[in-house]
Structure formats: structure tokens, C-alpha cells
Amino acid sequence: MAAPASKPWTRPIITLEEHFLSHAATANPNPKTSAFKAMPSLWSQFTELGSQRLADMDAGHVSLQVISHGPGDLNATQCRETNNQLADAVRANPARFAGFAELPMDSPQEAAAELNRTCGGGINGVKFVGALVDSHTESGVYYDGPEFDVLWSEASKLNVPIYIHPTWPTDNLVTAYESPNLSSDVTTAILAFGFGWHSDVAIHVLRLYAAGVFDRFPKVKIIIGHMGEMIPYMLQRIERVSGRWGKERSFREVYDSNIWITTSGNWALDPLACILRNTKHDRIMYSVDYPFAKAPDGLKWLQELEGSGMVTEEELDDISWRNADRLLRLDVKET
């Protein structure tokens, strides 16, 4: 018997882990970024902010895409050029695009200033809705030190979220985990998109908590992708262990108050079943992870979720667009 046809999709959809590579980045690409050139169709989509992107959005019924830069450190000048380019794209398609700022995270003061420029003042009338940053710099610096308080303070003042996104493993990590029994490609996959960079983001969030960032900045907003970067599945254990760390609020309180998660490119219902049991439903947001994942595949997953009985119609609306709309103050209209 044939499977029942999916109902036509009529809800708005907002996605917010959707990447591009800027002119500033491609002018001097690092070796990891250059590897994407071996996949011409991916490279074309990655470096484009127009018709190809809109076509994928249309095919997946995406109403609005919040665009951010791909992984890899950029200096302050490159970040400004990148954000200016993205602002031009948002200005050209204001009903379809919004922007997360790229920040020079190797210089916290300059990162805070660029966050203020893009999300506070705006770029020629375009205000970004937050920032997306790599989970560490290429030299392996995380953002739990006091030197980054200037950034967390600015994000809190502006009331915009910081999306912590995985990035390539450092050379030290590769050295620690490489094996003579594995090819370099397999090692990279294990340490990056196959597993490692998700646990790296989880560790980063735990570092922020243990270092007191959420105590000093109780209103800071953090987004993490890929079904919560493993935290939901270890949440009860994290709660027990972190209770010994002497923080003002429990990790559960911080998780409920300061952290949002997205689905980004994880097309399975099993992880969502766990998340729906232990995560506030207003903290769950749909995303695609374009161009590494495609909007039509995401739409199939949303339709599968709709038919699964796991969520109510209202919760499906919240996940597919309303939660992101509220958090980012996007004012997308229901059709």
C-alpha cells in the first residue's frame, strides 16, 4: 500500500543556521575552506546570496532565512566586509533574508564593537538579529575567559542572541585523536561533522557555565544547533555533576532560561523525541544548515513530524517559525 500523501504545507518557515562564504573569505581561503571547491555545486551555493538560495528556499517552503558566515577565523576588516556584503543581500531581499553578524573572535573588544555596529546601529538601514560565531578560534581559544565579558555584555545590552556553531578541530585535537589505522579524511570526519564538533560545542557551553558567564550575564541568549549539540541527551548527568560547581543557578535553570536549540540538518525524529521530553518547547527552532543540507529535505522532515503525532499543531507552528520569530523579533506574517 502506498504511503499517504503529505498535506500541503501552509505554515511559515524560518531557518537560522544557513551559511554563505563572503568575498572577503574566498579572496584568501584557508585549506579547509578551499576543500569545498572540489564540490562545484556546493561551492556555487555557498558563495551565492541570490537566485540559487531563493530557489532552494522556495522548494522547501522557507519563508525567511537568517544567513550567517561559514566556519573559519576572519579578522576585523574581513568581518566588516563580510557583514557589509550580507547587509546588501538583506537589503535586496528584506522579506526573505535576515542576518547574523560575523565577529572577529580573536579580538573580543573588536567583536563587541562589530556586534554593536551590525545589531545596534545597523548597516545602511539593515540591523542584524544577532551573531553566529565558531565554537573556538583557529588557535583553540574558547570564550569563557574574562576578556570576552565585553562581548557577552554587549549582547545582553542589545538583547540579541549569540549562536555558537561548530568549527574545524584544532591541530592539537587532530594530533591527540589521529590513528595510524585511520585515513586523515576519516579522522577529520570523526572530529568534525561526524561527531566531534558537536561535542565540542557542548563542552564550550559547559565551560561558559562553569566559568560563571551566565551568573555575570543572566540575560545572555545562546543558540546551539544540530538538535542541541548532544546536551539534551546528557542533560540529567550534566545537572548532577554541575551541581557541585557552586554557580548561582543550576545548569537546568540556565538551560531553560538562556539556551535555544535548532534542528539544523539532523533529519531524524528520534533525537527530537528526547528533546521534547526535557526541553521547553518554546526553545526548539527548525533550521536546515544550507548549503550542507537542503530545504526540500527539511520540509519532508517537518511533514514527517506533522504526521507523527509527537507535537500539537500549535507546537509545530512554534518549532517551524514562531519560536524563532519571537526570539529574533523578525515579524514574519502568518499566511
Side-chain angles (χ1 to χ4, degrees), residues 55-297:
D56 184 79
M57 291 169 63
D58 290 342
H61 290 266
V62 175
S63 310
L64 185 141
Q65 187 182 85
V66 184
I67 304 171
S68 55
H69 201 258
D73 287 356
L74 298 180
N75 62 37
T77 298
Q78 290 172 314
C79 285
R80 287 181 66 89
E81 293 172 359
T82 292
N83 293 329
N84 290 347
Q85 181 186 350
L86 180 53
D88 289 341
V90 173
R91 193 177 303 106
N93 287 284
R96 306 299 305 276
F97 295 159
F100 278 140
E102 173 77 358
L103 304 180
M105 295 302 289
D106 58 351
S107 175
Q109 290 281 352
E110 290 183 301
E114 185 64 5
L115 186 70
N116 180 276
R117 183 180 82 96
T118 52
C119 300
I123 304 171
N124 296 329
V126 173
K127 279 193 178 184
F128 287 9
V129 295
L132 183 143
V133 301
D134 290 349
S135 60
H136 55 75
T137 66
E138 289 179 6
S139 61
V141 175
Y142 293 80
Y143 315 138
D144 52 329
E147 67 273 23
F148 286 96
D149 280 3
V150 64
L151 175 63
W152 303 124
S153 175
E154 191 64 38
S156 298
K157 281 188 232 175
L158 293 169
N159 192 28
V160 295
I162 303 294
Y163 199 133
I164 300 178
H165 185 272
T167 192
W168 301 107
T170 63
D171 292 341
N172 286 342
L173 272 177
V174 173
T175 299
Y177 284 97
E178 65 185 350
S179 165
N181 304 309
L182 303 175
S183 70
S184 60
D185 288 347
V186 171
T187 299
T188 298
I190 291 171
L191 290 178
F193 43 84
F195 192 92
W197 67 18
H198 308 298
S199 60
D200 184 73
V201 173
I203 289 169
H204 196 156
V205 172
L206 293 183
R207 288 176 62 145
L208 294 176
Y209 175 76
V213 170
F214 296 103
D215 290 345
R216 297 194 294 279
F217 306 100
K219 296 188 182 299
V220 74
K221 297 175 178 179
I222 301 293
I223 306 173
I224 53 178
H226 308 105
M227 294 287 187
E229 309 290 18
M230 301 190 180
I231 289 177
Y233 324 116
M234 299 295 290
L235 184 57
Q236 281 70 28
R237 188 174 181 87
I238 292 169
E239 286 182 75
R240 288 197 298 273
V241 172
S242 62
R244 308 166 191 158
W245 297 349
K247 301 298 112 183
E248 293 177 14
R249 291 181 292 157
S250 70
F251 186 83
R252 165 64 79 165
E253 290 176 289
V254 167
Y255 184 73
D256 287 344
S257 302
N258 300 87
I259 295 174
W260 283 255
I261 69 177
T262 79
T263 62
S264 58
N266 196 337
W267 309 135
L269 293 182
D270 289 347
L272 186 65
C274 171
I275 291 166
L276 290 168
R277 286 176 63 96
N278 66 7
T279 302
K280 286 186 173 182
H281 292 188
D282 65 353
R283 301 300 165 121
I284 308 167
M285 302 180 293
Y286 172 71
S287 285
V288 170
D289 204 0
Y290 181 88
F292 307 106
K294 301 297 187 283
D297 294 325

Side-chain angles (χ1 to χ4, degrees), residues 19-20 45 48 50-57 65 97 290:
H19 308 298
F20 86 111
Q45 293 166 335
E48 190 258 6
S51 60
Q52 293 185 74
R53 186 174 297 263
L54 289 164
D56 184 79
M57 291 169 63
Q65 187 182 85
F97 295 159
Y290 181 88

